Amino acid sequence: SEIYLQGLAGAVPPFTTDPTALESSAREVLETGPFGYVAGGAGSGATVRANREAFDRWRIVPRMLADATERDLRTTVLGTELVAPVLLAPIGVQSIVHQDGELATAAAAAELGVPIVLSTASSYSIEEVAEASGDGQRWYQLYWPNDDDVTVSILERAKRSGFTALVVTLDTWTLAWRPQDLDQAYLPFIRGIGTAIPFSDPAFRALLAQSPEEDRNSAVLRWVQMFTGVDKSWDQLAFLREHWDGPIVLKGVLHPDDARLAADAGMNGIVVSNHGGRQVDGAVAALDALPAIAEAVGDRVDVLFDSGVRTGADVIKAISLGAKAVLLGRPWVYGLAHGGREGVRHVLRGVLADLDLTLGLSGNRSLADLGRHTLMEKP
Ligand code: FNR
């Protein structure tokens, strides 16, 4: 009704919230390198497409006269109440698409009561983003460094800065073959990362101090290499548990046996995700992996989901197939590209409103009403 009223006064929204048109218009506001960084996937892009095709194979079956005029979108994840089953996915180096990057995103999310998950590959420091996030909910995403001092230092800084949950991304122990980034020699990425992050960490600065002749470029390269070819095992999760006393979530789980290993290791949650099709070209669509994983561990850990969520209907489908909440990725990054903080806010408000309307129009008053009975597979 807000948009309708503005329309009567002759004003239209700043840019589209149609997911396909949003990606096309982001292509117009971004240069080739930055656009490719966001939109691109691994290899042929087969898994980027598979993620969307999987959503299209499920259809919602609406119920009528179901008393759904009042809705409640709240849910509880890791023991904390969320206003809706939506978080912002960790997205690295956001200054590639807008100079305010993570600061804009954190402020917009806090304003709407939606948690952010800050990437280790942020363009701004942990402390700066915490300040921009204010009293907003914030989780920290760890790319697990191959240096224990740096790992502990990052975890301590995140804890001190009010990040409550740790999300450990397992699927990116080295970067995949990503043609659109390789075509640009990863330049936007390196430029974006070359500012706050490496030099804001005291443990990393101590490493650099051992070779003072190193120039800035090679120091950045050393930082990137700290996250490349990282060799970890399930046993080593105990190290993270020892140094992080809040909940821990493993991101990038696609096999029910890995979900069981996560639960056995005492993790509190998992994110069923293929990193938006950016790591294993030809990997299973995340939505196709979800039901068996939710079935295997849904009673032991909080099962979250990402990869391909674009609309309110998509959120409903993921919840119906066993997720407790979803992480939203590319759409709000395009919003950031269009208009910084206001752009992120516009996209996020759109998805939340769409979710609320679609939930009600399909005859549901709350997320607890959703389940396999909500959906039918495409005939
Ligand atoms: C990501 N993703 C990601 N994941 C992570 O754990 N740490 C990171 O730094 C990043 N960086 C990143 C950058 C960009 C540009 C994209 C598009 C994605 C993956 C992200 O958290 C999430 O898994 C995907 O974005 C989900 O796919 P969709 O919904 O964006 O298609």
Side-chain angles (χ1 to χ4, degrees), residues 176-219:
W177 186 259
R178 296 184 187 169
Q180 303 198 46
D181 287 325
L182 292 163
D183 289 349
Q184 305 285 325
Y186 274 94
L187 264 185
F189 188 83
I190 294 289
R191 285 195 189 118
I193 213 163
T195 53
I197 273 289
F199 307 104
S200 69
D201 190 77
F204 185 67
R205 277 203 311 267
L207 280 180
L208 290 182
Q210 291 164 12
S211 39
E213 72 287 354
E214 236 177 20
D215 67 11
R216 200 178 170 85
N217 277 349
S218 59

Side-chain angles (χ1 to χ4, degrees), residues 37 89-90 92 119 141 143 169 251 275-276 278 306-308 310 330:
Y37 166 64
S119 167
Q141 177 263 321
Y143 278 136
T169 299
K251 177 171 182 277
H275 211 107
R278 297 162 74 82
D306 78 30
S307 297
R310 298 290 176 267
R330 290 182 178 92

Side-chain angles (χ1 to χ4, degrees), residues 316-317 319-322 364 367-375:
I316 290 173
K317 290 177 187 179
I319 305 277
S320 299
L321 292 173
N364 302 287
L367 306 176
D369 293 341
L370 302 177
R372 278 298 268 270
H373 58 273
T374 311
L375 305 179

Side-chain angles (χ1 to χ4, degrees), residues 133-342:
S133 151
D135 53 15
Q137 289 187 54
R138 43 188 182 269
W139 298 7
Y140 189 78
Q141 177 263 321
L142 185 73
Y143 278 136
W144 198 340
N146 54 27
D147 180 287
D148 284 351
D149 290 343
V150 172
T151 305
V152 171
S153 168
I154 290 177
L155 295 184
E156 280 175 358
R157 290 171 61 203
K159 191 98 238 200
R160 264 202 313 275
S161 304
F163 291 81
T164 53
L166 184 68
V167 177
V168 185
T169 299
L170 301 181
D171 57 21
T172 312
W173 50 270
T174 206
L175 274 182
W177 186 259
R178 296 184 187 169
Q180 303 198 46
D181 287 325
L182 292 163
D183 289 349
Q184 305 285 325
Y186 274 94
L187 264 185
F189 188 83
I190 294 289
R191 285 195 189 118
I193 213 163
T195 53
I197 273 289
F199 307 104
S200 69
D201 190 77
F204 185 67
R205 277 203 311 267
L207 280 180
L208 290 182
Q210 291 164 12
S211 39
E213 72 287 354
E214 236 177 20
D215 67 11
R216 200 178 170 85
N217 277 349
S218 59
V220 171
L221 191 61
R222 193 147 151 198
W223 174 259
V224 171
Q225 278 167 346
M226 187 150 290
F227 303 92
T228 302
V230 178
D231 185 13
K232 302 288 181 193
S233 63
W234 290 95
D235 298 342
Q236 285 167 280
L237 291 170
F239 178 84
L240 297 182
R241 184 52 91 197
E242 196 183 315
H243 293 279
W244 182 266
D245 51 23
I248 306 182
V249 175
L250 301 184
K251 177 171 182 277
V253 174
L254 290 168
H255 195 295
D257 286 348
D258 283 348
R260 287 188 194 95
L261 287 168
D264 293 347
M267 299 293 106
N268 307 90
I270 55 172
V271 186
V272 176
S273 165
N274 57 29
H275 211 107
R278 297 162 74 82
Q279 284 298 95
V280 177
D281 187 29
V284 58
L287 196 73
D288 288 337
L290 176 62
I293 291 176
E295 177 74 29
V297 298
D299 55 347
R300 297 170 72 197
V301 300
D302 280 354
V303 177
L304 308 181
F305 173 87
D306 78 30
S307 297
V309 177
R310 298 290 176 267
T311 63
D314 295 340
V315 181
I316 290 173
K317 290 177 187 179
I319 305 277
S320 299
L321 292 173
K324 283 200 95 171
V326 305
L327 279 60
L328 199 58
R330 290 182 178 92
W332 63 263
V333 186
Y334 295 136
L336 179 66
H338 274 94
R341 173 180 175 163
E342 279 309 306

Side-chain angles (χ1 to χ4, degrees), residues 12-85:
V12 294
F15 56 88
T16 180
T17 51
D18 171 84
T20 309
L22 180 60
E23 179 162 310
S24 310
S25 62
R27 190 191 288 273
E28 284 161 26
V29 298
L30 290 173
E31 287 178 28
T32 308
F35 178 76
Y37 166 64
V38 181
S44 69
T47 297
V48 178
R49 292 188 295 278
N51 284 337
R52 289 302 308 151
E53 287 159 10
F55 275 100
D56 198 42
R57 281 200 305 279
W58 290 99
R59 301 283 154 90
I60 297 168
V61 187
R63 300 296 307 270
M64 297 299 127
L65 301 177
D67 189 19
T69 52
E70 305 263 333
R71 273 94 53 196
D72 181 356
L73 293 181
R74 281 174 305 173
T75 187
T76 299
V77 177
L78 304 178
T80 302
E81 187 174 282
L82 308 188
V83 296

